Amino acid sequence: DAKTTQPTSMDCAEGRAANLPCNHSTISGNEYVYWYRQIHSQGPQYIIHGLKNNETNEMASLIITEDRKSSTLILPHATLRDTAVYYCIVRVAGDDKIIFGKGTRLHILP
Amino acid sequence: EPEVTQTPSHQVTQMGQEVILRCVPISNHLYFYWYRQILGQKVEFLVSFYNNEISEKSEIFDDQFSVERPDGSNFTLKIRSTKLEDSAMYFCASPKSGTDTQYFGPGTRLTVL
């Protein structure tokens, strides 16, 4: 089973920052937090991952709390193309499989 | 983003027939993975394959399934005798060289009639 808890759905206005929360209270010290998204039946798309420091790339920022029990994915300026299901995953680096939960369905509103 | 390709994009077959789904992972990587997603459900892990051997498989990956690397670049998922419940999207994934971040292909939609 997935070790994360995410809201089922969220709305965000186009142009605003989308903040997607994730709880992973049982995360182990060697587990990373990964984020993927899936746009309508396409293959899951990698967004970002981190261990304990905050991370930023061209797509998003990842904020991990100091106790590592929760994190937030931030899409700084959401567009309609960001409408997707967003998956928060905890995973040991080098571990084989990814265990997906149900994710958060993000709706970007025009 | 590194590219993983899959063929065909859509496969329609009759129940009981064999199907072969193909994947070309990111170049020069020895790991690849297969996942499936039944319509409206979660993405589920099927099998991981490393250096020409199955590394790990899920309960879904029963005797009807097999994976092969028929040549240096292609990987295949074979379902010997398809069932209606095998209808799903099938995704392969491969890490980029030097990382273990998995990148997914666009998927094959399998429809079993």
Side-chain angles (χ1 to χ4, degrees), chain B residues 1-20:
Chain B
E1 181 175 299
E3 190 170 298
V4 177
T5 59
Q6 292 185 243
T7 57
S9 58
H10 193 186
Q11 174 91 44
V12 181
T13 189
Q14 294 290 325
M15 188 171 56
Q17 295 296 303
E18 175 184 283
V19 295
I20 297 176

Side-chain angles (χ1 to χ4, degrees), chain B residues 46-106:
Chain B
L46 288 177
V47 65
S48 59
F49 195 78
Y50 173 70
N51 202 24
N52 296 322
E53 289 187 358
I54 289 176
S55 174
E56 185 176 357
K57 60 183 181 180
S58 71
E59 294 179 349
I60 303 168
F61 195 86
D62 60 22
D63 292 345
Q64 293 298 316
F65 291 89
S66 63
V67 288
E68 289 183 354
R69 188 179 184 185
D71 57 42
S73 59
N74 292 301
F75 292 85
T76 62
L77 174 69
K78 181 190 293 186
I79 309 175
R80 290 190 183 83
S81 178
T82 51
K83 303 185 285 287
L84 295 176
E85 53 264 39
D86 293 327
S87 293
M89 287 290 294
Y90 288 82
F91 300 106
C92 72
S94 171
K96 185 172 65 171
S97 181
T99 77
D100 56 17
T101 297
Q102 294 182 26
Y103 292 88
F104 286 75

Side-chain angles (χ1 to χ4, degrees), chain A residues 18-109:
Chain A
N19 296 277
L20 291 93
C22 178
N23 287 321
H24 30 80
S25 59
T26 62
I27 192 170
S28 302
N30 62 346
E31 287 182 315
Y32 287 71
V33 180
Y34 282 78
W35 283 83
Y36 283 79
R37 73 181 182 183
Q38 189 175 26
I39 298 172
H40 188 57
S41 294
Q42 296 179 22
Q45 178 187 22
Y46 167 76
I47 301 173
I48 198 167
H49 76 283
L51 182 62
K52 54 183 179 181
N53 296 324
N54 298 337
E55 302 287 345
T56 295
N57 62 20
E58 65 280 2
M59 288 183 69
S61 295
L62 174 60
I63 308 299
I64 303 174
T65 58
E66 194 169 338
D67 64 7
R68 302 209 322 124
K69 293 185 177 182
S70 65
S71 60
T72 301
L73 178 75
I74 301 173
L75 308 177
H77 303 287
T79 71
L80 296 177
R81 288 176 293 182
D82 293 320
T83 293
V85 178
Y86 287 76
Y87 300 100
C88 171
I89 296 153
V90 294
R91 176 173 174 260
V92 176
D95 192 25
D96 273 355
K97 60 186 179 293
I98 294 175
I99 298 176
F100 287 87
K102 295 183 179 180
T104 295
R105 186 170 296 275
L106 177 66
H107 299 276
I108 305 301
L109 306 175

